[in-house]
Amino acid sequence: MVFKIKNISCIGAGFVGGPTMSVMASKCNDLFFHVVDINDERIDAWNNEDLSRLPIFEPGLKEIIENTRNKNLLFTTNIKAAIESADIIFISVNTPTKTRGIGAGKSSDLKWVEACARQVAEFSKGHTIIVEKSTLPVRTAEVIQKILNSATSDLENAKKSFSVLSNPEFLAEGTAIRDLENPDRVLIGGEDKSAMLLLSQIYENWVPKEKILFTNIWSSELAKLTSNAFLAQRVSSINSISAICEVTGANVREVSRAIGKDSRIGSKFLDSGPGFGGSCFKKDILNLVYLAEYFGLKEVAKFWEEVVNINNWHQKRIAQIVVQKLFGTISSKKIIILGFAFKANTNDTRESAAIRICKDLIYEGAELIIHDPKVSMLQIEKDLQIKQFSSGKNENIDYLNNNIGNWQFSNNLNIFDDAHAVLVLTEWEEYKYIEWDKVAKRMVKPAWIFDARSIVNIDLVKKSGLNLWSLGDGSQQGTKDEI
Ligand code: NAD
Ligand code: UGA
């Protein structure tokens, strides 16, 4: 019997599951897509009539949802029905770093993936192709297969069968729709050739065939971890160079431009910033570190762990520079934070450098005004685990009974009055056009602009009489001896 694909389900309606299925639905009109989640609020948000209130902000997403939702794309919490009807099931659930037990702090917590496999084993009917879309440790497919096999061992379930494939996702947040519509490659790893071809045929609706790569399942799982590790390694490399630039008088943008012209190095992913954030880089590198340690490859583990260590050091370094430039104390000084998302064009704050930097500044006693065009006050409160200052008195007292600093949220940029400093942490487009001459008049002198994304107009800032610290720009700062 020829196995034909008609119904596709995706377990997990998050940053990956939602946009990925939306784009697939828009490209494959003859297929029907269910996106399921255990989180009712998230599903309600995906079904919100008001498209500006989708749970995820991604340029181009709401237009796609408008054209597909409730046509061939359904967001639902009915997991049983979604699994029963599916020919293909994408597993797109969260795989965070384990916080306790064996491998805590490094290996991935696979409890959500295991729960999915058990649900699929229970509810599926006939033959089902299971696709790992989540980023997983190498050999997870084996675990999934074992759980599924146990479902076919009793007589009642004997009619069930499964093929497990790996099809990691390479989209980046903020450009998710563009990445999904025009991927550099689609990777399909597996053993079952016919299942691999069926999955490939879905992508061929919009992806040129030569961009679809077939590998064995373990190579596919490892390629995803490696890809993120290489990208993060570039960011840590250039951030480490930014520190050298600052003390030698070199400029990291010029260094990036110069090395990026070498076609072997390439120009992308060489922007020095406040340290990489996002839900995946750190988690995936630590996963690789755990894998290497598990197989006794200590030097390999140390090599990759250093990419994360440099990132942590770099984030701390930025807060320290702010304190140092403001005469060694920021107690009760008003500092404006521009941007809280881990990068522009997303409302995601997971692992954002802003979290650590803001916490450090608050603990030094600063009064922060945090602005972000897409992140909510509640999200920031959750991330900082420090309540927003609102009652007229500072309730954030530490265990020594010392007042620590505080923070307030603003969704407009009318916030510069009496500020001692501005710190740019996310490269939102609107920050490029700030009129620094007007801002300067409202700030306390000597006032500082700290630009950790190198986006402000240097000439305008300087003409306004403001002091400027631009990340990795030693030409602004003189050599270490002069300082
Ligand atoms: P997410 O946390 O935004 O979404 C995961 C969703 O899965 C959540 O809504 C959660 O409620 C749901 N879920 C968990 N267990 C479930 C179950 N048993 N049944 C139904 N729903 C369940 O995570 P994400 O950012 O979409 O990432 C998902 C995976 O994709 C991770 O492995 C991640 O590493 C990988 N990835 C993420 C990105 C990215 O840009 N965020 C890119 C590529 C790959
Ligand atoms: C990253 C990868 O780019 C995706 O291919 C991958 O699918 C995804 O992780 C994942 O597996 O989750 P993402 O984290 O969304 O995507 O965003 P990136 O554009 O990679 O940025 C990550 C972090 O690095 C951000 O904080 C960003 O500001 C920082 N970065 C990036 C720099 O500081 N400099 C750069 O030149 C590039």
Side-chain angles (χ1 to χ4, degrees):
M1 192 185 74
V2 184
F3 183 66
K4 236 179 148 288
I5 306 294
K6 198 83 198 103
N7 291 300
I8 295 181
S9 293
C10 174
I11 309 181
F15 281 84
V16 170
T20 307
M21 290 304 118
S22 307
V23 168
M24 276 197 180
S26 73
K27 303 290 181 186
C28 309
N29 297 325
D30 53 340
L31 299 178
F32 195 88
F33 295 80
H34 280 95
V35 188
V36 283
D37 207 292
I38 38 176
N39 182 335
D40 313 5
E41 269 177 44
R42 213 167 211 187
I43 291 298
D44 286 349
W46 280 112
N47 284 323
N48 204 313
E49 290 282 301
D50 177 357
L51 289 167
S52 65
R53 305 186 73 146
L54 294 175
I56 288 164
F57 169 73
E58 276 295 332
L61 177 64
K62 64 180 184 187
E63 290 78 4
I64 291 182
I65 296 280
E66 192 167 23
N67 291 328
T68 50
R69 195 175 60 186
N70 299 330
K71 290 174 191 149
N72 66 334
L73 175 68
L74 201 72
F75 290 96
T76 167
T77 50
N78 191 341
I79 294 180
K80 182 170 182 278
I83 293 177
E84 275 175 355
S85 65
D87 304 306
I88 295 188
I89 297 174
F90 286 89
I91 296 183
S92 192
V93 297
N94 35 322
T95 52
T97 305
K98 268 182 95 171
T99 53
R100 62 177 74 168
I102 299 167
K106 284 187 184 148
S107 76
S108 285
D109 192 339
L110 294 180
K111 71 176 176 213
W112 292 275
V113 173
E114 186 179 331
C116 288
R118 291 189 187 281
Q119 284 166 323
V120 172
E122 185 179 351
F123 300 130
S124 65
K125 294 200 162 143
H127 186 67
T128 315
I129 298 173
I130 315 300
V131 182
E132 297 175 343
K133 195 47 127 174
S134 294
T135 304
L136 296 168
V138 185
R139 301 203 80 90
T140 305
E142 210 167 28
V143 177
I144 295 177
Q145 190 73 61
K146 275 188 188 153
I147 294 170
L148 297 172
N149 286 350
S150 66
T152 57
S153 55
D154 58 72
L155 266 183
E156 192 194 329
N157 288 323
K159 287 197 188 112
K160 295 185 185 189
S161 60
F162 306 97
S163 294
V164 181
L165 303 179
S166 161
N167 172 223
E169 185 47 62
F170 296 100
L171 67 81
E173 289 179 27
T175 53
I177 302 303
R178 198 178 72 201
D179 298 340
L180 287 163
E181 289 187 332
N182 186 21
D184 285 347
R185 77 306 208 182
V186 166
L187 186 53
I188 299 178
E191 318 270 275
D192 177 348
K193 294 282 171 279
S194 59
M196 291 164 82
L197 283 176
L198 283 167
L199 182 57
S200 173
Q201 277 161 17
I202 295 173
Y203 282 107
E204 283 166 33
N205 280 302
W206 77 99
V207 179
K209 242 180 162 166
E210 59 278 12
K211 285 191 174 181
I212 302 177
L213 309 182
F214 296 104
T215 65
N216 81 33
I217 200 155
W218 321 124
S219 305
S220 172
E221 289 176 337
L222 184 58
K224 172 63 196 176
L225 294 182
T226 309
S227 177
N228 274 358
F230 268 57
L231 290 169
Q233 172 270 122
R234 272 174 85 93
V235 177
S236 275
S237 297
I238 201 66
N239 284 340
S240 73
I241 298 298
S242 75
I244 297 185
C245 288
E246 286 165 25
V247 290
T248 55
N251 179 326
V252 75
R253 301 284 142 178
E254 292 176 0
V255 174
S256 296
R257 204 169 69 225
I259 63 169
K261 287 284 178 204
D262 185 327
S263 58
R264 294 167 302 174
I265 296 175
S267 61
K268 291 184 181 160
F269 251 74
L270 286 178
D271 289 333
S272 188
F276 60 74
S279 62
C280 296
F281 277 1
K282 184 168 151 204
K283 144 178 105 62
D284 292 348
I285 293 177
L286 292 176
N287 208 328
L288 204 60
V289 169
Y290 182 71
L291 191 75
E293 280 173 353
Y294 181 83
F295 287 105
L297 302 166
K298 263 200 276 172
E299 280 67 23
V300 177
K302 257 169 48 193
F303 174 78
W304 287 110
E305 196 161 21
E306 214 41 46
V307 173
V308 175
N309 291 342
I310 284 280
N311 198 52
N312 292 338
W313 168 79
H314 183 70
Q315 291 178 6
K316 274 233 148 319
R317 183 174 97 78
I318 290 175
Q320 282 165 359
I321 285 170
V322 172
V323 177
Q324 183 205 327
K325 297 277 185 202
L326 296 181
F327 309 114
T329 175
I330 53 172
S331 182
S332 302
K333 289 183 180 165
K334 181 171 163 185
I335 300 178
I336 310 296
I337 303 293
L338 295 183
F340 201 81
F342 80 97
K343 62 187 277 196
N345 293 320
T346 177
N347 58 345
D348 196 348
T349 59
R350 291 178 290 180
E351 297 291 338
S352 177
I355 300 173
R356 165 165 288 180
I357 294 171
C358 288
K359 272 187 171 171
D360 284 354
L361 296 175
I362 291 170
Y363 279 104
E364 285 282 343
E367 298 183 358
L368 305 185
I369 306 286
I370 303 177
H371 174 272
D372 192 287
K374 292 291 170 197
V375 178
S376 69
M377 187 283 283
L378 283 176
Q379 185 59 49
I380 297 174
E381 198 162 82
K382 218 164 126 192
D383 289 331
L384 292 177
Q385 293 177 315
I386 301 173
K387 281 202 167 307
Q388 182 186 220
F389 179 73
S390 57
S391 59
K393 73 179 200 332
N394 189 0
E395 290 166 353
N396 297 314
I397 310 268
D398 73 7
Y399 67 100
L400 289 173
N401 220 18
N402 293 321
N403 268 346
I404 59 170
N406 58 55
W407 69 279
Q408 274 181 290
F409 175 71
S410 173
N411 57 8
N412 69 66
L413 282 173
N414 197 13
I415 45 180
F416 298 99
D417 284 342
D418 305 321
H420 290 253
V422 176
L423 171 57
V424 183
L425 292 180
T426 311
E427 71 282 23
W428 286 106
E429 192 66 14
E430 62 195 272
Y431 301 154
K432 294 181 187 163
Y433 308 108
I434 291 177
E435 295 174 287
W436 294 107
D437 48 340
K438 292 189 182 145
V439 169
K441 290 186 187 124
R442 305 167 83 164
M443 293 180 72
V444 176
K445 307 291 171 335
W448 277 88
I449 308 302
F450 297 95
D451 183 6
R453 290 286 186 176
S454 307
I455 55 165
V456 304
N457 184 318
I458 294 179
D459 290 340
L460 275 188
V461 171
K462 290 197 149 175
K463 263 192 212 143
S464 316
L466 296 161
N467 293 298
L468 175 67
W469 175 86
S470 183
L471 178 69
D473 188 354
S475 64
Q476 309 286 334
Q477 297 159 41
T479 62
K480 202 172 181 197
D481 290 344
E482 287 160 12
I483 300 166

Short mmCIF file of all heavy atoms in Angstrom, two decimals, residues 386-413:
data_model
loop_
_atom_site.label_atom_id
_atom_site.label_comp_id
_atom_site.label_asym_id
_atom_site.label_seq_id
_atom_site.Cartn_x
_atom_site.Cartn_y
_atom_site.Cartn_z
N ILE A 386 13.14 40.69 40.10
CA ILE A 386 13.15 41.86 40.99
C ILE A 386 11.91 42.66 40.61
O ILE A 386 11.68 42.92 39.42
CB ILE A 386 14.41 42.73 40.77
CG1 ILE A 386 15.68 41.91 41.03
CG2 ILE A 386 14.37 43.96 41.68
CD1 ILE A 386 16.97 42.64 40.68
N LYS A 387 11.10 43.03 41.59
CA LYS A 387 9.85 43.73 41.28
C LYS A 387 10.11 45.13 40.71
O LYS A 387 11.06 45.79 41.13
CB LYS A 387 9.00 43.87 42.54
CG LYS A 387 8.25 42.60 42.87
CD LYS A 387 7.04 42.91 43.74
CE LYS A 387 6.10 41.74 43.84
NZ LYS A 387 5.67 41.20 42.56
N GLN A 388 9.22 45.54 39.80
CA GLN A 388 9.33 46.89 39.28
C GLN A 388 9.04 47.89 40.40
O GLN A 388 8.16 47.66 41.23
CB GLN A 388 8.33 47.11 38.13
CG GLN A 388 8.48 48.49 37.55
CD GLN A 388 7.44 48.84 36.50
OE1 GLN A 388 7.75 49.45 35.51
NE2 GLN A 388 6.20 48.48 36.72
N PHE A 389 9.80 49.00 40.42
CA PHE A 389 9.60 50.04 41.43
C PHE A 389 8.32 50.78 41.10
O PHE A 389 8.21 51.37 40.04
CB PHE A 389 10.80 51.00 41.38
CG PHE A 389 10.73 52.14 42.35
CD1 PHE A 389 10.93 51.93 43.70
CD2 PHE A 389 10.48 53.43 41.90
CE1 PHE A 389 10.88 52.99 44.60
CE2 PHE A 389 10.43 54.49 42.80
CZ PHE A 389 10.64 54.26 44.15
N SER A 390 7.32 50.73 41.98
CA SER A 390 6.07 51.39 41.61
C SER A 390 5.38 52.05 42.79
O SER A 390 4.62 52.97 42.63
CB SER A 390 5.12 50.38 40.97
OG SER A 390 4.91 49.33 41.86
N SER A 391 5.69 51.61 44.00
CA SER A 391 4.87 52.04 45.13
C SER A 391 5.38 53.33 45.79
O SER A 391 4.87 53.74 46.82
CB SER A 391 4.85 50.94 46.17
OG SER A 391 6.18 50.69 46.57
N GLY A 392 6.43 53.94 45.22
CA GLY A 392 6.94 55.15 45.82
C GLY A 392 8.05 54.86 46.82
O GLY A 392 8.73 55.74 47.29
N LYS A 393 8.23 53.57 47.17
CA LYS A 393 9.39 53.27 48.01
C LYS A 393 10.02 51.96 47.51
O LYS A 393 9.34 51.10 46.95
CB LYS A 393 9.00 53.19 49.48
CG LYS A 393 8.21 51.99 49.94
CD LYS A 393 7.99 52.18 51.45
CE LYS A 393 7.65 50.99 52.25
NZ LYS A 393 7.07 49.85 52.08
N ASN A 394 11.32 51.89 47.70
CA ASN A 394 12.04 50.74 47.18
C ASN A 394 11.84 49.52 48.07
O ASN A 394 12.26 49.50 49.21
CB ASN A 394 13.54 51.09 47.08
CG ASN A 394 14.29 50.01 46.33
OD1 ASN A 394 13.71 49.02 45.89
ND2 ASN A 394 15.59 50.22 46.17
N GLU A 395 11.17 48.49 47.50
CA GLU A 395 10.92 47.30 48.33
C GLU A 395 12.01 46.25 48.14
O GLU A 395 11.97 45.17 48.71
CB GLU A 395 9.57 46.70 47.93
CG GLU A 395 8.43 47.59 48.36
CD GLU A 395 7.12 47.20 47.70
OE1 GLU A 395 7.13 46.33 46.82
OE2 GLU A 395 6.10 47.78 48.07
N ASN A 396 12.97 46.57 47.28
CA ASN A 396 14.00 45.58 47.00
C ASN A 396 15.15 45.71 47.99
O ASN A 396 16.15 46.36 47.76
CB ASN A 396 14.53 45.77 45.57
CG ASN A 396 13.43 45.52 44.57
OD1 ASN A 396 12.70 44.55 44.69
ND2 ASN A 396 13.29 46.42 43.60
N ILE A 397 14.98 45.09 49.11
CA ILE A 397 16.00 45.16 50.15
C ILE A 397 16.73 43.83 50.13
O ILE A 397 16.09 42.78 50.11
CB ILE A 397 15.33 45.31 51.54
CG1 ILE A 397 14.31 46.43 51.52
CG2 ILE A 397 16.38 45.45 52.64
CD1 ILE A 397 14.78 47.78 51.90
N ASP A 398 18.05 43.81 50.14
CA ASP A 398 18.74 42.53 50.10
C ASP A 398 18.87 41.95 51.50
O ASP A 398 18.43 42.55 52.49
CB ASP A 398 20.09 42.64 49.37
CG ASP A 398 21.14 43.37 50.17
OD1 ASP A 398 20.88 43.68 51.34
OD2 ASP A 398 22.22 43.62 49.61
N TYR A 399 19.49 40.79 51.61
CA TYR A 399 19.48 40.10 52.90
C TYR A 399 20.30 40.82 53.97
O TYR A 399 20.18 40.58 55.16
CB TYR A 399 19.96 38.64 52.73
CG TYR A 399 21.40 38.50 52.33
CD1 TYR A 399 22.38 38.20 53.28
CD2 TYR A 399 21.80 38.68 51.00
CE1 TYR A 399 23.69 38.09 52.92
CE2 TYR A 399 23.12 38.57 50.64
CZ TYR A 399 24.07 38.28 51.59
OH TYR A 399 25.38 38.17 51.23
N LEU A 400 21.17 41.75 53.54
CA LEU A 400 21.92 42.53 54.53
C LEU A 400 21.15 43.79 54.93
O LEU A 400 21.63 44.66 55.62
CB LEU A 400 23.28 42.94 53.95
CG LEU A 400 24.28 41.81 53.80
CD1 LEU A 400 25.52 42.30 53.05
CD2 LEU A 400 24.71 41.27 55.17
N ASN A 401 19.91 43.88 54.41
CA ASN A 401 19.06 45.02 54.68
C ASN A 401 19.58 46.32 54.05
O ASN A 401 19.29 47.41 54.52
CB ASN A 401 18.88 45.19 56.20
CG ASN A 401 17.45 45.58 56.51
OD1 ASN A 401 16.57 45.38 55.66
ND2 ASN A 401 17.23 46.15 57.67
N ASN A 402 20.39 46.17 53.02
CA ASN A 402 20.83 47.35 52.28
C ASN A 402 19.86 47.59 51.14
O ASN A 402 19.41 46.63 50.52
CB ASN A 402 22.22 47.11 51.66
CG ASN A 402 23.26 46.98 52.73
OD1 ASN A 402 23.23 47.69 53.72
ND2 ASN A 402 24.19 46.06 52.53
N ASN A 403 19.59 48.84 50.87
CA ASN A 403 18.78 49.12 49.68
C ASN A 403 19.58 48.77 48.45
O ASN A 403 20.74 49.13 48.34
CB ASN A 403 18.46 50.61 49.62
CG ASN A 403 17.15 50.92 50.29
OD1 ASN A 403 16.37 50.03 50.57
ND2 ASN A 403 16.93 52.19 50.55
N ILE A 404 18.97 48.02 47.55
CA ILE A 404 19.62 47.86 46.25
C ILE A 404 18.91 48.82 45.30
O ILE A 404 17.98 49.52 45.70
CB ILE A 404 19.55 46.40 45.76
CG1 ILE A 404 18.12 45.94 45.64
CG2 ILE A 404 20.35 45.51 46.68
CD1 ILE A 404 17.99 44.60 44.94
N GLY A 405 19.35 48.86 44.08
CA GLY A 405 18.72 49.78 43.13
C GLY A 405 17.34 49.29 42.74
O GLY A 405 16.81 48.36 43.34
N ASN A 406 16.77 49.92 41.74
CA ASN A 406 15.46 49.47 41.29
C ASN A 406 15.30 49.73 39.79
O ASN A 406 16.21 50.26 39.16
CB ASN A 406 14.36 50.14 42.11
CG ASN A 406 14.43 51.64 42.00
OD1 ASN A 406 14.40 52.18 40.89
ND2 ASN A 406 14.54 52.33 43.12
N TRP A 407 14.17 49.34 39.26
CA TRP A 407 13.97 49.53 37.83
C TRP A 407 12.50 49.84 37.55
O TRP A 407 11.62 49.50 38.33
CB TRP A 407 14.40 48.29 37.04
CG TRP A 407 13.50 47.10 37.27
CD1 TRP A 407 13.56 46.25 38.33
CD2 TRP A 407 12.41 46.66 36.44
NE1 TRP A 407 12.56 45.30 38.21
CE2 TRP A 407 11.86 45.53 37.06
CE3 TRP A 407 11.87 47.11 35.24
CZ2 TRP A 407 10.78 44.83 36.51
CZ3 TRP A 407 10.79 46.43 34.69
CH2 TRP A 407 10.27 45.29 35.32
N GLN A 408 12.30 50.51 36.43
CA GLN A 408 10.94 50.78 35.95
C GLN A 408 10.92 50.55 34.45
O GLN A 408 11.94 50.72 33.78
CB GLN A 408 10.56 52.23 36.23
CG GLN A 408 9.98 52.42 37.61
CD GLN A 408 9.58 53.86 37.82
OE1 GLN A 408 10.44 54.72 37.93
NE2 GLN A 408 8.29 54.12 37.86
N PHE A 409 9.75 50.21 33.96
CA PHE A 409 9.61 49.93 32.53
C PHE A 409 9.03 51.15 31.81
O PHE A 409 8.24 51.89 32.38
CB PHE A 409 8.66 48.74 32.35
CG PHE A 409 8.34 48.41 30.92
CD1 PHE A 409 9.31 47.86 30.10
CD2 PHE A 409 7.08 48.67 30.39
CE1 PHE A 409 9.03 47.56 28.77
CE2 PHE A 409 6.79 48.37 29.06
CZ PHE A 409 7.77 47.82 28.26
N SER A 410 9.44 51.33 30.57
CA SER A 410 8.79 52.36 29.76
C SER A 410 8.63 51.83 28.34
O SER A 410 9.54 51.20 27.81
CB SER A 410 9.63 53.62 29.71
OG SER A 410 9.05 54.52 28.78
N ASN A 411 7.45 52.09 27.76
CA ASN A 411 7.32 51.68 26.35
C ASN A 411 7.41 52.89 25.41
O ASN A 411 7.13 52.79 24.24
CB ASN A 411 6.04 50.88 26.11
CG ASN A 411 4.80 51.64 26.51
OD1 ASN A 411 4.89 52.83 26.83
ND2 ASN A 411 3.66 50.97 26.52
N ASN A 412 7.82 54.05 25.99
CA ASN A 412 8.11 55.17 25.09
C ASN A 412 9.49 55.71 25.41
O ASN A 412 10.10 55.35 26.43
CB ASN A 412 7.03 56.25 25.20
CG ASN A 412 7.08 56.94 26.53
OD1 ASN A 412 8.06 57.62 26.85
ND2 ASN A 412 6.06 56.74 27.35
N LEU A 413 10.00 56.56 24.53
CA LEU A 413 11.38 57.02 24.68
C LEU A 413 11.48 58.40 25.32
O LEU A 413 12.53 59.04 25.24
CB LEU A 413 12.08 56.99 23.32
CG LEU A 413 12.54 55.58 22.88
CD1 LEU A 413 13.06 55.59 21.46
CD2 LEU A 413 13.58 55.01 23.83
#
